[in-house]
Amino acid sequence: HEQLVASGGGSVQAGGSLRLSCTASKYNYNYNCVAWFRQGPGKEHEGVASINSVAFGDDDTYYADSVKDRFTISRDDAKNTVYLQMNSLKPEDTGMYVCAARWPSDCVPGTPQKGDFTGWGLGTQVIVST
């Protein structure tokens, strides 16, 4: 499902920052809700953050407890892009980051859950070293 493409990953030291981008193809950007998930080595997919679309009424955001106050999700509908600004990175943030979309319903409040999303894109790798 290549309608969403994530980019911006890389290798950083603990305490550093990265900004990930999730870009949707023009004709598929009618998503009510877009979220970031990650999968660390030997771990299950974990919801990181989600954001509603201003076009559908609001831009509410939701975060996993593990990233609150460090990560910020935002979207630029004019660019068909959702961003994930990651600050104060920790080694446990290492993983493959993937974006996913949900429609026609808005984001479910709370930590994003894999089963609530039907459109999945390609991921970008994030490595945080000590």
Side-chain angles (χ1 to χ4, degrees):
H1 197 285
E2 299 185 16
Q3 296 173 336
L4 296 167
V5 179
S7 62
S11 296
V12 296
Q13 289 189 323
S17 299
L18 284 172
R19 188 176 81 156
L20 306 184
S21 298
C22 172
T23 302
S25 60
K26 178 180 180 180
Y27 299 106
N28 290 284
Y29 207 69
N30 291 311
Y31 306 136
N32 293 60
C33 172
V34 176
W36 286 96
F37 289 80
R38 66 186 181 189
Q39 187 171 22
K43 298 181 180 179
E44 297 291 325
H45 272 99
E46 174 190 12
V48 175
S50 62
I51 185 168
N52 277 323
S53 169
V54 174
F56 291 96
D58 63 65
D59 59 352
D60 288 347
T61 57
Y62 306 97
Y63 297 92
D65 288 342
S66 59
V67 306
K68 280 181 182 176
D69 301 324
R70 298 190 299 123
F71 290 10
T72 302
I73 189 171
S74 61
R75 65 191 296 165
D76 185 338
D77 288 348
K79 295 183 178 180
N80 300 335
T81 300
V82 171
Y83 302 100
L84 185 68
Q85 177 67 43
M86 306 187 296
N87 298 327
S88 302
L89 283 162
K90 303 176 181 179
E92 51 263 45
D93 294 319
T94 293
M96 179 66 73
Y97 283 69
V98 180
C99 51
R102 169 182 169 89
W103 70 92
S105 302
D106 288 349
C107 297
V108 177
T111 302
Q113 300 298 316
K114 185 178 179 181
D116 291 334
F117 293 82
T118 54
W120 291 83
L122 301 177
T124 186
Q125 184 72 43
V126 172
I127 299 173
V128 184
S129 59
T130 56

